[in-house]
Amino acid sequence: MALTDRDRIQITDLVNLHGHLTDSGDLDRMAELFTPDVTYDLTDFGLDSLHGPTAIREAALALGDANPVGHHVTNIVITEIDDRSARVRSKGIGIKADGSTGSVVYDDTVTRGPDDWKIHYRKVSARRAPLGSSHPTPRDVLERWRRAAIDRSADAMRKLYAPTAIHEFPFALPGVRSRLTGREGIVAWIAASWAATDVKYKSYRTLSVHATTDPDTIIVEQEAIGTSATTGDFTLPNLLILTTHNGEIIHLRDYIDTAAAAVALGHLHSTTPDRKQ
């Protein structure tokens, strides 16, 4: 049986209701939107997927004041799969309290229940380049860099840095290198750092991303979330100034609070390799 006009109205209302409930803080009502086994895919942002309405609620609460104040959904297109499921693609515009905005695409699979439709799967993808351009933007490169750090993948890191890249740590502790140069040197230092510690990054939380007068440069306020067998779970705030060209990092200034990192990570920098000679 084909989707009826009533089905399409219910599905459209379902997609629209998410923004209303989230913006009003009615997070206890997520089960009205999502199936109990829903997957909420945030991998495009360098985050793990969420599973179940409770996890979605907890993630929104953890984000706190960094949540948009307005979620606006547009351009809803519904494509029937069968009489009990459909694909829904829509566009989302998020507006934060400081007036900054962002655009995403929601790719949903919705299923028909006994009484209503619910979202069974949602993938959220950021729109970062005009006209469907495949040219990686600085934000794209940032997310790939985060994923490489989470995966501890030297090969992925190598693909991200330009041959003559510079990676700086302006707040480096005395005796620790504050400037790395060249793709191979940077990746070797990162890989040696991973090998020397039991630190594992699990995700990154974006607090804000600021554009600059240079379209290839962004300023990122973020928190690195991870765990260590020595110190347990940790959250490290830091600020990045990232400049890219043709999808590669040419300059990265990493303003991590190295003193706080040393304490949180069990004096990580005292064992970090490749110290200044």
Side-chain angles (χ1 to χ4, degrees), residues 146-169:
R146 288 171 166 177
R147 175 49 55 185
I150 292 169
D151 294 341
R152 284 191 164 202
S153 173
D155 287 341
M157 281 292 183
R158 187 172 287 107
K159 293 176 182 177
L160 290 173
Y161 284 91
T164 58
I166 298 171
H167 190 137
E168 295 183 285
F169 301 95

Side-chain angles (χ1 to χ4, degrees), residues 137-255:
T137 66
R139 184 66 181 267
D140 293 325
V141 175
L142 170 69
E143 299 304 340
R144 295 173 187 175
W145 182 84
R146 288 171 166 177
R147 175 49 55 185
I150 292 169
D151 294 341
R152 284 191 164 202
S153 173
D155 287 341
M157 281 292 183
R158 187 172 287 107
K159 293 176 182 177
L160 290 173
Y161 284 91
T164 58
I166 298 171
H167 190 137
E168 295 183 285
F169 301 95
F171 293 159
L173 293 172
V176 178
R177 292 186 63 179
S178 61
R179 180 182 174 93
L180 308 171
T181 58
R183 173 194 290 152
E184 295 305 323
I186 293 169
V187 174
W189 186 91
I190 292 172
S193 298
W194 291 335
T197 72
D198 61 5
V199 171
K200 173 67 175 176
Y201 291 105
K202 298 190 294 186
S203 65
Y204 288 83
R205 180 181 298 125
T206 301
L207 303 181
S208 63
V209 178
H210 306 277
T212 69
T213 54
D214 177 0
D216 287 330
T217 299
I218 57 174
I219 301 171
V220 184
E221 297 178 69
Q222 65 177 17
E223 292 176 334
I225 301 168
T227 188
S228 163
T230 304
T231 61
D233 294 341
F234 61 83
T235 299
L236 292 176
N238 79 311
L239 183 145
L240 300 176
I241 301 179
L242 173 66
T243 301
T244 67
H245 180 67
N246 290 337
E248 293 183 322
I249 298 170
I250 60 174
H251 200 166
L252 178 59
R253 294 188 183 94
D254 189 346
Y255 288 87

